[in-house]
Amino acid sequence: MGEVTRKTLGEELAWQYANLARVDVALKQGAKKFTTIHHMVRMRLYKGLVNGTMQMGSFCDDEKYKIGMNICCYCNSPDHLGVDHLFPRQKLGSDLAENLVFACRSCNSSKRDRDMLSWLHAQGKFPGILLLRRYLKLAYFFCQKHDLMTRPWEEALTLDLPFDLKNLQINLAPLSRPETLSMVHSTRLAPEEQHGE
Ligand SMILES: [Zn+2]
């Protein structure tokens, strides 16, 4: 319901972030299905982001969530935790706190320089909403900084970015199913969403 046509990289990122806000509200209410209110939240945020009257939240809220977290943000394991770069260093990921997450040794060495969403997708997993929000913010601010927001989607696909644009829409499809998602924990993809790579 209420889909919009996205033509630019900025519009697509705004739409996916608005999808995330819709899930966030539904989960906080304990709703299993989206209602009209949730769709309105999404549309309002999308329009606000695109016309510049609204901004994405700062990383500050996400930082609070990281403090005291003692599980791997990719597989939920509490064992052998270290720090991982969400956007890989090899792909311009920074050493700033906003790009650092807790990850277990096993996930760290498996993910390496791969895109977080594509890598999880290949394992039949979907990230927790808080991790995904951080990922989308990093993507959004990267594109703002490099003046890429108005690039047409088709053209954007040819750019060398620190995240995987090609599979973004497919990999974010689970955002339409709030009943299966978690704020903090990664979850399993539904069988029909598992495409492999
Ligand atoms: Zn892990």
Side-chain angles (χ1 to χ4, degrees), residues 8-188:
T8 65
L9 180 50
E11 285 170 358
E12 183 60 36
L13 290 175
W15 179 252
Q16 297 300 350
Y17 191 78
N19 267 331
L20 205 55
R22 181 175 69 155
V23 171
D24 190 305
V25 173
L27 288 182
K28 280 177 180 153
Q29 293 176 340
K32 298 287 181 203
K33 297 286 175 198
F34 292 126
T35 64
T36 307
I37 295 291
H38 302 138
H39 300 312
M40 284 167 63
V41 165
R42 173 174 68 174
M43 193 57 78
R44 184 164 167 268
L45 179 56
Y46 173 72
K47 286 181 176 166
L49 287 170
V50 168
N51 69 24
T53 56
M54 292 173 87
Q55 300 290 323
M56 286 194 181
S58 77
F59 283 105
C60 190
D61 286 344
D62 302 345
E63 290 306 320
K64 278 185 248 162
Y65 129 79
K66 265 203 288 190
I67 296 165
M69 279 297 283
N70 49 7
I71 56 169
C72 170
C73 71
Y74 303 130
C75 74
N76 312 326
S77 165
D79 302 323
H80 307 295
L81 292 182
V83 168
D84 183 49
H85 289 74
L86 189 48
F87 280 7
R89 277 166 120 170
Q90 296 91 326
K91 297 187 177 168
L92 299 177
S94 79
D95 287 325
L96 296 175
E98 62 205 32
N99 191 42
L100 301 178
V101 292
F102 290 123
C104 74
R105 198 186 299 158
S106 166
C107 286
N108 223 326
S109 61
S110 162
K111 176 171 167 278
R112 301 168 69 90
D113 65 348
R114 299 174 64 189
D115 172 75
M116 182 270 285
L117 271 179
S118 298
W119 169 72
L120 280 181
H121 193 102
Q123 303 171 64
K125 290 184 199 157
F126 192 71
I129 297 306
L130 287 166
L131 177 64
L132 189 51
R133 187 163 74 195
R134 173 177 295 270
Y135 172 95
L136 276 179
K137 274 188 206 173
L138 286 170
Y140 195 86
F141 291 133
F142 179 92
C143 292
Q144 255 182 353
K145 184 177 163 190
H146 294 88
D147 209 13
L148 301 173
M149 300 300 257
T150 56
R151 294 289 186 102
W153 177 254
E154 292 301 322
E155 187 194 319
L157 288 171
T158 65
L159 298 171
D160 195 15
L161 299 168
F163 55 97
D164 181 2
L165 211 53
K166 185 167 51 74
N167 294 315
L168 190 71
Q169 289 164 346
I170 291 171
N171 290 344
L172 290 177
L175 286 179
S176 62
R177 298 182 296 104
E179 71 279 13
T180 62
L181 303 177
S182 158
M183 288 305 283
V184 174
H185 297 108
S186 61
T187 52
R188 303 297 306 177

